[in-house]
Amino acid sequence: MSGALNSPAAKPQPPRDPVAARVIRLDTALRAIAPHLAGGERSAWVETLSERMSTADITRSRRVAAFLGQCAVESGGFQVLEEDLSYSAARLCKVWPGRFPDADAAEACAFQPEALANDVYANRMGNGDPASGDGWHFRGRGLIQITGRTAYERFARATNMTLDQAVAHAATLAGAADSAVWFWSDNNLNKLADAWLLDAITRKINGGLTGAAERNRLCGAALHALGG
């Protein structure tokens, strides 16, 4: 009896702050997949992404891990928000072998990013012909690198912006997050993430399986860091 009386009473635990918990999880995942980011850079991404991901219900461990892993590959580790397209002839042959079968065919577009974009992105994704300049104007931007006139038009409608405003916004920190979360939700990628169908997500984002091994590795690393 006396022992029970002398035992310290259990202190009630304060309710867990969901916002703080979300921030900690994002920071943990980013440390795992983008260790090169300085503390301030990582904090900026956590602050930018936290509420946006929550609003889109990218909150479960698999969803967070798949989203961040894919973004890491598309954005060069959360550092490249606008497609550069400055490639050597040899690199062009590897990236677009059907269009550039050899170095001679690629020479005109080597280290000519605007000419390259207007060539390889012409007459598809809603873009006009090479002379329209659509390929360069609507090149990849944001954490998921949305590309093509059609994608930008849909993003503009979703954010109540003009087309030019949406293009400019996608290259900013906030816009890079907005466009990525929009694309993820618009393509119902939470469902694929829940099933951990990473290659299917890659096809939705990339149109193929470019970089699939690295995407899978980073998504897995993020999931491990989150305890999944």
Side-chain angles (χ1 to χ4, degrees):
M1 182 74 172
S2 60
L5 291 174
N6 291 331
S7 298
K11 294 182 179 179
Q13 295 297 314
R16 190 176 183 185
D17 180 350
V19 175
R22 194 166 69 221
V23 165
I24 291 170
R25 281 165 57 80
L26 275 177
D27 185 79
T28 299
L30 284 176
R31 284 177 184 271
I33 64 174
H36 54 278
L37 290 177
E41 293 173 321
R42 188 174 61 254
S43 295
W45 278 120
V46 169
E47 181 179 355
T48 302
L49 287 166
S50 178
E51 185 174 349
R52 290 170 169 85
M53 289 173 63
S54 178
T55 299
D57 203 21
I58 308 172
T59 52
R60 301 177 190 174
S61 292
R62 284 189 171 188
R63 296 178 181 185
V64 172
F67 177 80
L68 293 179
Q70 291 283 350
C71 286
V73 172
E74 288 291 318
S75 65
F78 295 87
Q79 293 184 312
V80 179
L81 303 186
E82 194 165 30
E83 194 173 17
D84 182 278
L85 292 168
S86 184
Y87 296 136
S88 67
R91 180 62 179 160
L92 289 176
C93 294
K94 291 181 179 179
V95 177
W96 286 285
R99 190 173 294 266
F100 304 113
D102 54 48
D104 287 341
E107 196 59 43
C109 289
F111 301 113
Q112 300 292 327
E114 186 168 352
L116 174 63
N118 288 333
D119 181 11
V120 299
Y121 293 149
N123 300 311
R124 62 192 185 98
M125 301 181 292
N127 291 341
D129 62 19
S132 72
D134 283 354
W136 178 248
H137 189 59
F138 300 112
R139 66 191 183 278
R141 293 180 181 84
L143 286 177
I144 282 186
Q145 297 282 294
I146 62 170
T147 308
R149 177 184 282 272
T150 298
Y152 279 104
E153 286 176 340
R154 289 166 56 200
F155 177 52
R157 286 195 296 270
T159 52
N160 198 29
M161 294 182 180
T162 67
L163 184 56
D164 285 342
Q165 286 172 336
V167 168
H169 183 58
T172 67
L173 198 75
D178 285 336
S179 59
V181 169
W182 163 77
F183 182 93
W184 190 269
S185 298
D186 194 61
N187 286 276
N188 198 24
L189 298 185
N190 274 340
K191 182 178 180 180
L192 296 180
D194 287 342
W196 206 236
L197 297 173
L198 298 181
D199 284 351
I201 295 174
T202 295
R203 286 191 177 95
K204 287 284 188 180
I205 292 172
N206 176 259
L209 287 174
T210 301
E214 180 66 358
R215 293 170 195 269
N216 293 351
R217 184 186 74 81
L218 289 176
C219 291
L223 186 62
H224 179 76
L226 293 170

